Amino acid sequence: MELSTLSLKELSDALREKTVSARELTGAFLERINRFNPELNAFVTVAEEEALAAADEADRRLARGEGVTPLTGIPVAVADTICTKGIKTTCASRILENFIPPYDATAVSRLKEAGAVIIAKTNTDEFGAGTTTGYSAFGPARNPWDKDREPGGDGGAAAVAAGLVPLAVSFDSGGSLRRAAAFCGVTGLKPAYGSVSRYGLAALAPSLEQIGPLARQVDDLALLYQVLAGPDPLDATSLPAAGPGRDGAEVTGPAAGSKGLRIGLPREYFAGEQLQAAVKERVLAAAGILAEKGGEQVDLTLPSTGYALAAHILLAAAEASSSLARYDGVRYGYRSPEATDIDLLYKKTRTEGFGSEAKRRILLGTLVLSAECYNDYYLNAQKVRALVIREFKEAFTKCDLILTPVTPGAPGRAGGERSPLLQYQDEYYTAGANLAGLAGLSLPCGLVDGLPVGVQLLAPAGREGLLFWAARILEEATGRLSPPSFQE
Amino acid sequence: MNLEKEKVKHLAELARLELGEEEAAEFSRQLSEVLAYAGKVREAPVAGMEPVIHLLSLANVFREDEVEPSLPREEALANAPHREEGFFRVPRILEEN
Amino acid sequence: MNYETVIGLEVHVELKTEAKVFCGCAARFGAEPNTHVCPGCLGMPGALPVLNKRAVEYCIKAGLALNCRIAPFSRFDRKQYFYPDLPHAYQISQDDLPLCAGGGLKIVNPAGEERLVRINRIHLEEEAGRTYHSGTGTAGYSLLDFNRSGLPLIEIVTEPDLRSPEEARIFLEKLQEILRYIEVSDCKMEEGSFRCDANISVRPAGSREFGRRMEIKNLNSFKAIQAALAYEENRLGSLLAAGTPPEQEESRGWDETRGMTFFMRPKEKATDYRYFPDPDLPPLVIAEEWVEAIRAGLPELPEEKKNRYVKEYGLPVQDADLLGSFRETAEFFEATLRCYSGEPKTVANWVMGDFARLLNLEKLTPAQSKLKPEALAAMLQMIDDGQISGKIAKTVFEEMFYSGKSPREIVAEKGLAQISDENQLTAVVREILAKHPGPVADYRAGKTKALGFLVGQVMKETKGQANPGLVNKLLREELDK
């Protein structure tokens, strides 16, 4: 049986029917990881021993038939910015190269409670600051469709696409998870802000980021999301159990079925020169599929879209400069051997420990928060944020979901020399959802020159179910993608 | 906004980073470019907008005043680069006090 | 020329909650290093702060006791600086929206003048860890303990309304008294739960401009505060008198042994702490009802109490001061009064006298002692009823203090009840008169002083248990026969 292409439901059924044991399943995926990861570099750490122990525990659960969930015995990869108790968590940074957290992130606890097997930690840009994994201290991950291409800002999507794991959990502070899903041809969700606990996610931009699921197909994505989402007393910005924003886990369409679906197409997301014609065509084709099923396309305008990216750049940097200040070599992590006094301890440790993009954001953020720039940059960015929220809010009175591209083109060459500004502009289509706290689902909508591109569906908090529902319609119409070289 | 090399070095000092001349010059170039773009937030039509300080409309999120178990000391110190008798150890602090 | 001293204070007070302000670690002093720490108060990646509700309530309580306005909307900001005892490299504090603002506290200065010391603000923040320096020179190093990291701390900032080192001390003593009274802090200077930085400047009397300001840091006793400020007042006055006012504002330390302040560093014009709102902590919306509920829970404050003691109980001012300054003492006093129908002054004397002496001896507070107010009341009643003598009462009291037994039990066990039986006492009186013919003759010869000696002999014979009034009466009767 070729396990690597089975859906979560198929794997789960196989485990329950004992056609395969959790240990065998984990072993099979470990084998694929060992075979293919050297060329993909999708993982920073493979937790073989811990995974097999967890698989054995899952087998005992399955044997007893108690507390079995759809995730019991299923291997899941977790981004290396998410803390895993007893498993090295480096955030793809030299400054944490040997850090072993004594605690689990809430997302990880929830996975473990469901019986999932944490199998590996995925590669990302250092602390998630970047869009291509090019800033990982452990080398970039590769795109399984073309190893010379970047895989988006997260190795988890590459791993899922190549069938090295059935599911992955990553995070998104400006679009890295959604871009990675689009570029690797899988589905990914950045949940609405507050839906999934951030406890245990090494912070980069705490007001912008969310942990989210990656999967090969929409049903699996929805299932994984349901496990991750929920209130958490350890995260004060986690939405409470009841109330607006907390009823989005179930896959539900609009009351009138697809007939009632209003699909918003914001002009600003389709107008720019940078959007490649072929991508635009695939994305509009996706809108067309939903319209064909009876939905209605609504022309929208979100005039602040350009300002939104500017505000996102400033806020992400401001928050990063503060979030990354704690890495000083005092209590854990890397300490420079040249640290002979406390001043050198800080300077040498941080200088040697951080890579260039982390430093760039720290410098920019330090500037943005300085007394002389605070009003002009930080406060104005937060005001732009208010504007963006208002525009989205208005938009959602006219439509149920917004449909946009994820990226302007297909994945670029890995290691290409692009200026930081150009890289920040990679998130033009995705940053708005982070600023406004919306849910954003990315799914494949076709190939351009043999490389996958994606469509993004946006909805307000609490309407994730609608996103899954619409995404499933698109998935049925367009079919799923698998990178050719990893099919056996 | 043009971010001078000297200014970059000052920011690095504040953030406890050391930059070589070339590196500072490169950051100065790159960040000036970023600021030229991102600086447009200053021209955005935001008159009358309240800055978004908190995204969610949550307030008064509390924990009760109850003690929960701390980490075993061994775990608290396990990642320490240098420890001594239950303490984290750091090199001398060159300070007036 | 005459000079005027201007002093403002920044007081840091650790709140005595059970748990720390943003995590569940125990907020306890004196534990083994790094045993009350977690990912949160160690600043590990991904850990998030969640605010302890009681810490907010205590801060509001302090604000109410100091007559502050409680902010209807408040939030937390990150104050960013690098120091090894600060695990996130930012302190969660409050910048422009503190919990409490305005307010003030009246004191009476040594000249007997009443002064209102205005409070600028009170805000809630987290405490840093502790650093211990070891070794010297290049061999020096530091050890860090994060047990203290994340304790709830309030910072109370006064306006520059104090005019002398004595006033500063009096203000701080009064502040400490109130904060202990409302039970938000132990305010132990020696443990660092009550700390003070003082800003002092000196200007020509009548001038409206302030002189250059010196900040004296880390003053750890009331004595040190007054002494350091007095030294600095003098130094600044001399500089002014010599026509050489200080050139810069400075942070200065206090050298206890040499009795002088010393230069630490120039006061940076304005350190840019790059404050910004903490995205991890939703804001506080403080409803009127919540504030009122906290206000309703406030005890009577020492000032009101002392006034009431004078007015209602007719106590001398000194007694009222002594009893009212410490909440447990005041509560003990009042609880005793509730079970006792006699004179308040009688209760006051016992509480300030024997009780205070024994507490002091055993280093206990009233609540820690075994003696209960009901027991003291019962004993006082027994004296009033003539069941025990005042002298015996002292023995009974000591026994009550150490054993926690009721006075009745003690009197019964030890046979200490007063002898008021006339027949029994008459026999003793006759016996004494027979034994001491000399004093008897003296008395009869008009030397009435001899009576005192004879009373003493009867008391001695009865081990102090005889009813002294009755002994007097019987002796006179026998002698006058």
Side-chain angles (χ1 to χ4, degrees), chain A residues 103 198 200 322 326 331-332 346 371, chain C residues 42-43 45-46 78 83-84 272:
Chain A
Y103 52 100
R198 292 185 296 113
S322 177
R326 73 187 64 181
R331 289 145 287 126
Y332 53 81
Y346 284 123
Chain C
L42 284 175
R78 296 181 178 179
Y83 202 76
D272 186 356

Side-chain angles (χ1 to χ4, degrees), chain A residues 187-205:
Chain A
T187 63
L189 176 75
K190 184 208 84 78
Y193 193 75
S195 303
V196 176
S197 169
R198 292 185 296 113
Y199 182 85
L201 167 65
L204 180 69

